[in-house]
Amino acid sequence: MLELRHVSKSFGQKQVLQEISLHVSNGEFVSVIGPSGSGKSTMFSLIGGLLEPDAGEIYLSGENITNKRGFISYMPQQASLFPWRTIMENVLVGQELQGKKDYERAEAMLERAGLGDVIHAYPHELSGGMKQRVAFIRALLSPQSLMLLDEPFSALDEFTRTDMQKWLLSIWEDDEQSILFITHNIDEALFLSDKIIILSVNPAEIKEVIEVPFKRPRDEELLLSEEFLQWKRRIMEVIQF
C-alpha cells in the first residue's frame, strides 16, 4: 500500500526527517507518535505531495508518488468545513473534485453518523464533535484508498474524544481503508491502531515500531486493562529514552 523509502527532509540548516522508512498495508490502521516538533506533519506534507523530500521516495500501491498530489484523502486537526456549503455539500467535496458525486452513499454515511437530520444545515449550526464527523465522512467518501488523519480529535473534550474514537473504529472496521494517523496521545494510539510508529526528534528517526496485540473489535474496557497499561508504559519509555 504506502511505502516510504529512506525519506529525509530539511528546512535550511535544520534536519527534520532522517532516513524514514515505513510501510502501511491495505486496510491497516497505523499511528505515528512522537514529541512535538518530531516532523509528523512534515511527513504528511511529503506523502500528500505538498513538499518534496531531499532524499528518498514514496510509493502508493507500487506507484511512485513522490512530490505528486491527489493520491490521498486528508483530515486535518480542525474540521475545515466550507461555511457557505451545507453538510451534504461539504462531504461531497472530494468526489466533486473527481467529477462524480454519490449522494446516496453520502446520505447513508451521514445517517449512520447520526447526522441525518442536519444534512441541509450549515457548519456553524453543528457542535465540534459533529463537525469532526462530517470531516471524517468527507475523507472517507473521497475516492483515494489512503487516509491521513492529523490529530483530528485533539481539540475535543475527553468525553467527546472517546466517543469519536469509538465511532471512528466502527466506521473504519466496516470500510477498511488504510489509515495513517498522527497523535500525541498514547492511549488513543493503542486503542485505535494495528501498528504504532514511534519517532525521535531533532531530526526524526524511527525509534521503534510497535505491533499492537489487542484483538478487534475493541471497547472502552480495554483502556483500563492491565495489559493496556503495560503497553502504555513501554511506549512512554521508548519515547522518553
Side-chain angles (χ1 to χ4, degrees):
M1 182 50 168
L2 175 71
E3 186 178 3
L4 273 63
R5 301 180 184 174
H6 309 290
V7 171
S8 297
K9 181 64 181 177
S10 298
F11 295 101
Q13 298 299 312
K14 183 177 181 181
Q15 182 87 22
V16 178
L17 299 175
Q18 181 168 298
E19 290 283 318
I20 298 293
S21 294
L22 62 84
H23 183 269
V24 180
S25 300
N26 282 323
E28 191 173 33
F29 197 124
V30 178
S31 287
V32 179
I33 193 167
S36 295
S38 59
K40 298 183 293 297
S41 293
T42 298
M43 183 191 302
F44 269 24
S45 294
L46 290 166
I47 296 169
L50 300 177
L51 295 173
E52 184 176 5
D54 301 328
E57 296 176 318
I58 301 169
Y59 287 81
L60 186 66
S61 299
E63 180 178 353
N64 191 329
I65 63 165
T66 309
N67 201 34
K68 296 179 181 178
R69 304 184 186 186
F71 288 87
I72 57 96
S73 59
Y74 174 69
M75 181 177 172
Q77 294 180 24
Q78 303 298 325
S80 301
L81 304 177
F82 295 115
W84 61 88
R85 300 185 68 141
T86 65
I87 300 311
M88 174 63 80
E89 291 168 342
N90 266 286
V91 300
L92 288 170
V93 166
Q95 291 187 349
E96 186 177 322
L97 293 172
Q98 300 294 322
K100 182 180 180 180
K101 293 186 282 188
D102 188 342
Y103 287 96
E104 186 174 338
R105 185 173 180 226
E107 185 171 0
M109 292 289 290
L110 288 166
E111 286 281 357
R112 185 173 176 188
L115 299 170
D117 294 336
V118 296
I119 61 175
H120 301 300
Y122 290 86
H124 73 271
E125 300 176 77
L126 274 59
S127 67
M130 294 169 76
K131 290 177 184 177
Q132 289 301 90
R133 293 187 188 202
V134 173
F136 180 71
I137 292 171
R138 178 179 60 191
L140 197 63
L141 285 170
S142 295
Q144 295 86 355
S145 58
L146 174 68
M147 282 193 292
L148 306 184
L149 307 185
D150 189 355
E151 294 192 84
F153 308 141
S154 61
L156 303 177
D157 63 77
E158 195 65 28
F159 297 105
T160 304
R161 184 176 186 140
T162 300
D163 286 343
M164 286 298 299
Q165 290 167 359
K166 292 188 295 183
W167 178 81
L168 169 58
L169 280 183
S170 70
I171 296 291
W172 170 77
E173 285 168 357
D174 285 345
D175 199 76
E176 293 188 340
Q177 277 186 292
S178 300
I179 291 180
L180 190 60
F181 185 94
I182 287 178
T183 180
H184 283 96
N185 189 300
I186 297 173
D187 286 17
E188 184 169 70
L190 275 171
F191 184 60
L192 294 176
S193 309
D194 297 308
K195 184 167 67 183
I196 300 172
I197 296 169
I198 303 174
L199 296 181
S200 64
V201 68
N202 297 323
E205 298 178 286
I206 294 178
K207 297 181 75 174
E208 190 167 338
V209 178
I210 302 287
E211 298 286 344
V212 179
F214 310 127
K215 296 179 180 179
R216 299 187 185 276
R218 299 173 186 171
D219 57 37
E220 286 177 276
E221 292 182 4
L222 174 64
L223 298 167
L224 300 176
S225 69
E226 183 58 35
E227 185 181 11
F228 187 93
L229 296 175
Q230 288 174 357
W231 278 99
K232 181 178 179 179
R233 282 192 289 268
R234 179 182 170 186
I235 292 173
M236 290 177 68
E237 289 171 359
V238 174
I239 291 173
Q240 292 169 356
F241 297 102

